[in-house]
Amino acid sequence: MKRRNFLRGAAALAALSGTPIAALEKALAKTAAPVEPLLAEWGGPYGGIPPFGTVKATDIKPGLMKGMSLMRSDIGVISSNKAAPTFENTIAAFEDAGRPLGRAQTFFAIYTGTMNDKAMRAVEAEMNPLLATLDDDITQSTSLFQRIQAVYEARTTSGLTDEQQRLAEVHYDRFARRGAKLDAVKKEQLRTINRRLASLYTTFSQNLLADEEEITMVLEREEDLAGLTSDLRAAAAASAETHGQKGKWLLTNTRSSVEPFLTFSTRRDLREKAWRMWTSRGDNGNPHDNRATIVEIVKLRTQRAQLIGYPSHAHWSLANNMAKTPEAAMDLMTRVWKSAVARVHEEVADMQKVAASEGAKITIEPWDYWFYAEKVRKARYDVDQDEVKQYLQLDKIRDGMFWAAGKVYGLEFSKLTDVPVYHPDMTVYEVKRAGQRVGLWYFDPYARAGKSSGAWMNEYRSQERFRDPTTPIVSNNSNFIPGKSGEPVLISWDDANTMFHEFGHALHGLQSNVTYPTLAGTNVKRDFVEFPSQVNERWLTTEEVLKQFALHYKTGQPIPKALVDKIMKAKTFNQGFATVEYLAGAIYDMKLHMTTDPNAAIDPSEFEKKTMSEIGMPKEIVMRHRPKAFGHIFSGDGYSAGYYVYIWADTMSSDAAEAFVEAGGFYDKATCDRLRDTIFSVGNSIAPDVAFRKFRGRDVDTNALMRDRGFPVT
Ligand SMILES: [Zn+2]
């Protein structure tokens, strides 16, 4: 997953119509505490570093306030310029506007994503609607938009470079998509909707976080641990201790805690209990239930799309993506869906056989899937996940990622100890190529209270050559459970894969080589952004990485060839489950957002029931993210009508992987260079379909995806 900060510098607005909000911002900006560390340019070594040592949580709000006010004056200067609009005095000036606010938003994203305590949640709830309003003020400024439009219309005849033309198009499209062409009445309606949505997104995420933090499952007795491996027991004991239940064991309400339990616990009753806890987040009828929030979000999104001139939120959202229409995305998903469901029926039949052979008189239920899948995996492929895990040490896998990036892209990583961090668990690395600094990589590996679940990449600073040549600063964030001090942290195969995935986003940000920050690194179309990260997963499975870095945590011996062969052979195992749980969510998201009735009060759970029955969802599986915990689509606009992007991008990553295989392997120099030069370094300076064609020599072949997942090619 790639999280984006709100808007980068060029993000904000013009208008300042003397609304109470603008007045409030001005007043606060004047009385603000010293916020310079938050807003100032980043000084220090390595091309400037985020001043974590001096910024405090309490700086965030006054910093954002002052940053917004500075942004407004920057925009005022551009839009009131008496000179005729040119690229330089309009698009370039806009690109350069609001940099202090951009820096403040970087810290805001870091604090809300990784240290979201009660005080920060209050700041978040207060600031998000103001930032949404600022964004509307900018995109709705008639004087600014007229200038942008003038530059856009003259873009091919005014001597601009290709990248400058692209930048003019990107900014123009963004304004138009956000209602810049509407009349005053409609603009006002749009502002009201966006402001309300910003609040609702915050409410949604805070509700979810509350259920994840406040609801836990205590295991009272030794026999409740039946089937669990020793490291899972140790992790559960450690969790109990941090939750004030020393001497017991505790499952937190997070994927990394619940899924291993579902895989290994032999206590079917407790598996069901854990599964219900996990799949009911946001859906407990308590004050954090997300039902009403979702109903309102969906209504407002439909209303907004129709104001701007699209039939539905999905149509509005996809018009700006590679897919262009919801129908194109649905076509791809429907095609894969049928094969995936057929595979699930086979998988369940296999599980049912294992259960019967063990004398368990049960019908496979959702809380049995992980448990019996693991048994089938052992029986059929002789792969024991716990055995594999003993070769997957977090630190070594990280070194393996570095090594692969060295081979593939010529990057070198060295650990820095003189750079401030916001938490002692973090580490920082300088990234170089041929002795030249490429950027910095921050790593925040462990779970803690106030940190969002899952794993993601965050860009602290984009690459650019526009004003001062600037190297990028990126981070990877995950939620591993720290081991006892001095002991290596062992991770699952899936987790190792996720590390390579997130690192792929980091490499995309780091290797950016463009002029304008808006077009840099991961600032690409939503259904393209997962392509580089998914491709990077492929290097984990190379023999070179496994031999050198998948080392047994006790003996230091490399993972045996026989075990690697077995892992490879089992690669398409359980693809039915993985594809169906994901696609069900993606189809739900798309169908929900194809709603065209702007006043329909759609109950998210009823809609889930209806949709799952329409598409023939196997009863043994639920959506990977149930509606009321579906943060991708309800905690912001980013992935809404956009959860499909993973499978869309995977058609490209599967096809790209075949390019490497055809060339003789994943370290083929010419193919590696081409991947860097056509994909990883161009950001959004080139249209994504053009970039892909430059890499592959042709359009994407979606059959590669079917082959990769072991589905029949039809
Ligand atoms: Zn991702």
Side-chain angles (χ1 to χ4, degrees), residues 471-533:
T471 49
I473 303 179
V474 302
S475 73
N476 280 164
N477 307 267
S478 43
N479 275 280
F480 296 114
I481 312 292
K484 279 189 213 137
S485 91
E487 279 182 25
V489 177
L490 300 182
I491 65 176
S492 69
W493 179 259
D494 280 356
D495 284 340
N497 202 61
T498 302
M499 278 187 71
F500 270 73
H501 175 98
E502 298 307 333
F503 194 58
H505 287 306
L507 293 171
H508 192 193
L510 283 167
Q511 298 192 88
S512 177
N513 184 18
V514 302
T515 305
Y516 299 100
T518 288
L519 303 176
T522 53
N523 298 319
V524 294
K525 304 270 183 206
R526 266 287 168 199
D527 46 7
F528 190 77
V529 75
E530 300 299 332
F531 163 40
S533 53

Side-chain angles (χ1 to χ4, degrees), residues 583-649:
L583 272 184
I587 293 171
Y588 175 90
D589 165 43
M590 196 60 75
K591 289 199 168 205
L592 183 70
H593 287 118
M594 285 171 82
T595 305
T596 53
D597 177 354
N599 297 307
I602 302 176
D603 181 279
S605 305
E606 288 302 315
F607 195 82
E608 180 190 18
K609 250 187 234 158
K610 180 173 152 272
T611 307
M612 294 307 111
S613 121
E614 277 169 12
I615 63 176
M617 179 71 158
K619 66 170 181 43
E620 299 84 3
I621 303 182
V622 294
M623 285 159 54
R624 181 170 173 83
H625 309 279
R626 301 286 306 284
K628 291 178 181 176
F630 208 159
H632 285 81
I633 69 171
F634 296 125
S635 66
D637 277 334
Y639 283 88
S640 67
Y643 196 54
Y644 81 95
V645 301
Y646 292 94
I647 194 122
W648 188 271

Side-chain angles (χ1 to χ4, degrees), residues 367-386:
W367 45 92
D368 299 319
Y369 214 105
W370 285 263
F371 182 73
Y372 284 102
E374 185 58 17
K375 288 186 177 245
V376 174
R377 190 201 308 268
K378 271 190 206 167
R380 177 162 304 168
Y381 300 99
D382 195 26
V383 179
D384 175 346
Q385 296 228 70
D386 191 46

Side-chain angles (χ1 to χ4, degrees), residues 171-188:
H171 282 315
Y172 173 83
D173 286 348
R174 182 165 191 283
F175 273 71
R177 279 172 50 68
R178 300 186 61 90
K181 295 177 180 172
L182 299 180
D183 66 30
V185 174
K186 286 188 171 168
K187 277 182 178 170
E188 195 48 47

